[in-house]
Amino acid sequence: LLLRWRRRRGLWKKVKEARQRQERSLVQMEMAVRRFREQHPSVNMISILSLPLPELSKKLQDGSLPPEYVFYAYVGKALQIATETNCITEYLQESETQLQKAKLTGKLGLLYGVPVSIKDSIDCQGHDSTLGFIKNLNKPAAEDSVVVQVLRRQGAIPFVKTNVPQSLISYDCKNLIFGQTFNPLLYTRSPGGSSGGEGALVGGGGSILGFGTDVGGSLRFPAAFCGICSLKPTGNRLSKKGIISGVLGQKAVAAGVGPMAKDVESLALCMRALLCEDMFNLDSTVPPLPFNEEVYSSTQPLRIGYYETDFFTMPSPAMRRAVRETKQLLEDAGHTLVPFELTNADYMIFNFCVRGMFADGAASFLKSFKGELEKSSMGLLFWLAKSPNWLKTVLSWIAKPFVSWAPKESLNQQPRDSTSTPLTTSAFPSQEFCHQFIAQWKTLNLDVMLCPMLGPALGIGYPGKLSVAVSYTMLYNVLDFPAGVVPVTMVTDEDEEELKGYQGYFRDWWDRTLAKAFRGSVGLPVAVQCVALPWQEELCLRFMKEVETL
């Protein structure tokens, strides 16, 4: 008992020290901005912050806007948003040194002088990648991840790291070390996750370009909840070397690293910069496919599949309206819209997502929590994973009359023991599922797909209760298709009124809870997903641009 008490005391000490470092980071940012303002009182920060990335980049390239003006404008704005939303975990003070070096070298990459924010789980040399775990504190990365190396070579200046939920396997944004991150649009709402710190910072205007990861919607949830754009590329289009995974070793559900920004053109500029020789040389597992300008700039009419629901998670009235209105605008613009019938979402969620990610009986997932002070933020998912197999079987029989979509096998995973390895996903034939999906796509001769995106932003705490609501996003991790998010509308009074009749497809506890989570959202943004076939990120971005323009 005494040893346990001492150990807990040691853990709390590490948490306290990490929070103090976080506070010092904000003080350093404040002092840096103050010094700059004293030396340059006439600089109009507001006009700099109002520039979209392509225009800002052009001014930095031609020298009409000094990089230090841009840098300190964003440090100041990031400080404000961090104070309001608790999105920043660490200020990368060496960014000030990089800023000076960039000026001296005169080498102008595509992102020269652009300050960028980085998700906690993406390695930056000399800084922790915690994933919200205390055990990962005081273990600074030995080198930059490949993505960060390429960003630096292209002239970008990583200046902050941002908050994540514990383990990353959540679409909220809370951990015991740094606490809860809030949505900049409404503080009672979640910013989404797991790239929630990025969503809050970019959505609040404190970063013009952010980088996160996505294994079930972790780029797309924050973008949709915070009213911005994001792109989840095909899993291996951008290097994942130096990026820490939430469930080590799992291969069934493809993770991707990608950008977040206020507009689609910014995402395209980012992809142009990253898909370069540096990326391909630093990580030979990434296919050497440079950005295809011809596909992105094409104006040919598109043949677009669409669906309003996956018949598993009933869309909110605003979600359904977002798809319908976007579909109509696309048709009016000369594109062809083709209904796409999506079936077996429940089978996909449980047999490929849940069983695939936790194919070793969740042993790898649970191992990451060993010795941690808190696991409660994971809610039901963690509790079920930790339960013995006999209890899972009993629970599945108890739940069966009330939860018609949950097969016994999804709870009762493969036996868990100390020798389980994380690389046991071959039993889940997601490739066959993928080929069937592509065959349906090809039969309809589609270019791209228009899909719903969960929204509006759920209240804080609700994502932990509603893991099942990832069905719209996780589908495209299982398939490993590029998928982007574009905000298209806001919740109206009519949507709110219609929500009173929301019952869901199963009329169970999850459906009732989701209805509560949607309520009181008038004025919050609602997005759609734009999807393309694997390795067609340029086509996906072109489609996103079309939706954004319309």
Side-chain angles (χ1 to χ4, degrees):
L1 201 65
L2 180 63
L3 284 171
R4 187 188 289 179
W5 176 79
R6 281 181 173 170
R7 198 178 153 284
R8 287 179 66 85
R9 191 178 172 190
L11 290 172
W12 278 114
K13 187 182 177 186
K14 286 176 78 173
V15 169
K16 185 180 178 182
E17 288 168 354
R19 289 175 182 171
Q20 287 171 343
R21 279 198 300 274
Q22 183 190 31
E23 288 167 13
R24 282 199 300 273
S25 280
L26 299 183
V27 170
Q28 288 166 353
M29 292 170 75
E30 186 178 12
M31 288 171 64
V33 172
R34 190 185 300 156
R35 278 196 306 271
F36 177 79
R37 282 179 174 155
E38 286 170 357
Q39 293 165 8
H40 304 85
S42 61
V43 174
N44 187 339
M45 303 280 201
I46 294 170
S47 67
I48 292 171
L49 294 169
S50 68
L51 293 170
L53 179 57
E55 194 177 335
L56 179 81
S57 182
K58 191 180 174 194
K59 287 180 179 290
L60 284 163
Q61 297 271 350
D62 65 22
S64 61
L65 194 57
E68 62 267 31
Y69 287 19
V70 176
F71 179 80
Y72 289 107
Y74 273 99
V75 171
K77 185 64 177 179
L79 175 63
Q80 177 202 325
I81 300 303
T83 305
E84 293 171 2
T85 66
N86 187 36
C87 57
I88 291 174
T89 59
E90 196 171 5
Y91 175 50
L92 311 184
Q93 202 168 10
E94 69 272 16
S95 57
E96 295 179 45
T97 308
Q98 189 193 339
L99 178 68
Q100 298 308 316
K101 283 182 182 174
K103 283 173 64 184
L104 293 171
T105 59
K107 185 186 173 187
L108 305 185
L110 282 178
L111 295 173
Y112 170 72
V114 176
V116 297
S117 49
I118 308 291
K119 183 179 182 176
D120 167 279
S121 59
I122 301 174
D123 279 352
C124 292
Q125 186 178 20
H127 300 275
D128 294 339
S129 297
T130 69
L131 280 68
F133 288 124
I134 301 167
K135 64 164 71 72
N136 293 336
L137 287 169
N138 307 322
K139 293 180 181 176
E143 64 176 359
D144 286 334
S145 59
V146 167
V147 163
V148 171
Q149 289 183 56
V150 176
L151 285 169
R152 291 194 200 276
R153 293 186 189 192
Q154 288 284 16
I157 304 172
F159 75 113
V160 289
K161 291 198 82 174
T162 56
N163 204 24
V164 294
Q166 188 183 39
S167 84
L168 308 185
I169 310 299
S170 167
Y171 63 103
D172 203 344
C173 192
K174 178 189 177 185
N175 62 70
L176 191 66
I177 305 168
F178 302 111
Q180 175 74 51
T181 297
F182 305 96
N183 191 312
L185 305 177
L186 186 62
Y187 298 153
T188 57
R189 297 297 166 116
S190 169
S194 61
S195 310
E198 283 301 314
L201 188 60
V202 176
S207 173
I208 198 166
L209 183 62
F211 292 86
T213 59
D214 189 310
V215 78
S218 295
L219 280 162
R220 289 162 288 164
F221 279 115
F225 284 12
C226 296
I228 58 174
C229 301
S230 74
L231 174 70
K232 177 206 80 70
T234 310
N236 217 37
R237 187 76 196 264
L238 298 177
S239 174
K240 290 179 280 190
K241 189 178 176 185
I243 295 174
I244 314 302
S245 169
V247 182
L248 291 173
Q250 78 81 20
K251 304 287 183 185
V253 182
V257 57
M260 304 171 80
K262 283 283 181 80
D263 56 77
V264 178
E265 196 61 56
S266 299
L267 302 179
L269 175 58
C270 170
M271 293 299 285
R272 276 190 204 102
L274 289 175
L275 294 171
C276 64
E277 285 303 314
D278 284 328
M279 171 76 73
F280 310 140
N281 290 332
L282 287 165
D283 186 351
S284 298
T285 67
V286 173
L289 299 171
F291 191 84
N292 190 325
E293 208 64 58
E294 187 181 344
V295 171
Y296 178 63
S297 57
S298 171
T299 55
Q300 288 293 315
L302 294 168
R303 188 170 169 87
I304 304 164
Y306 75 95
Y307 56 90
E308 294 180 8
T309 179
D310 63 5
F311 297 101
F312 180 69
T313 304
M314 181 178 278
S316 66
M319 284 170 67
R320 202 182 285 270
R321 182 174 57 79
V323 173
R324 283 179 182 170
E325 290 181 358
T326 304
K327 176 234 175 199
Q328 191 59 53
L329 287 167
L330 287 163
E331 278 185 329
D332 294 345
H335 301 287
T336 303
L337 276 290
V338 182
F340 188 94
E341 189 179 348
L342 191 65
T343 56
N344 296 331
D346 53 346
Y347 183 84
M348 179 273 299
I349 282 286
F350 290 106
N351 285 281
F352 303 141
C353 300
V354 178
R355 297 187 74 202
M357 284 187 72
F358 307 118
D360 58 353
S364 303
F365 175 67
L366 291 170
K367 188 179 177 183
S368 62
F369 286 88
K370 193 175 180 182
E372 291 296 312
L373 287 170
E374 185 191 59
K375 295 99 176 174
S376 60
S377 61
M378 293 304 301
L380 186 63
L381 179 64
F382 180 83
W383 188 85
L384 277 174
K386 200 176 180 183
S387 301
N389 286 327
W390 67 265
L391 182 56
K392 290 176 188 172
T393 304
V394 170
L395 286 170
S396 69
W397 284 108
I398 294 171
K400 205 170 185 180
F402 309 103
V403 187
S404 58
W405 43 261
K408 183 179 82 169
E409 293 80 5
S410 67
L411 290 174
N412 195 8
Q413 297 286 348
Q414 295 176 11
R416 183 175 72 249
D417 58 57
S418 59
T419 60
S420 294
T421 62
L423 297 171
T424 53
T425 55
S426 58
F428 306 105
S430 57
Q431 281 300 309
E432 187 183 332
F433 174 73
C434 181
H435 293 319
Q436 288 171 355
F437 195 95
I438 290 173
Q440 188 180 350
W441 182 298
K442 296 279 190 184
T443 300
L444 296 172
N445 195 27
L446 303 179
D447 296 309
V448 288
M449 187 97 81
L450 172 68
C451 319
M453 177 65 213
L454 190 78
L458 307 187
I460 284 169
Y462 275 104
K465 302 171 186 174
L466 292 163
S467 301
V468 292
V470 301
S471 57
Y472 288 104
T473 50
M474 195 166 248
L475 170 64
Y476 296 108
N477 294 92
V478 169
L479 293 169
D480 198 14
F481 286 14
V485 157
V486 182
V488 294
T489 188
M490 291 183 287
V491 179
T492 64
D493 289 316
E494 291 77 15
D495 293 328
E496 196 70 26
E497 185 63 31
E498 196 179 330
L499 186 63
K500 290 177 182 176
Y502 182 99
Q503 291 184 313
Y505 291 119
F506 303 98
R507 303 192 179 193
D508 57 15
W509 180 85
W510 278 277
D511 282 337
R512 289 192 294 274
T513 304
L514 187 56
K516 287 178 192 171
F518 283 142
R519 280 178 203 149
S521 303
V522 173
L524 288 179
V526 180
V528 292
Q529 280 190 99
C530 301
V531 178
L533 290 174
W535 311 108
Q536 295 187 5
E537 282 71 21
E538 296 87 346
L539 183 58
C540 185
L541 285 164
R542 187 246 151 140
F543 179 34
M544 291 170 68
K545 181 73 178 170
E546 188 78 6
V547 168
E548 178 187 62
T549 304
L550 292 171

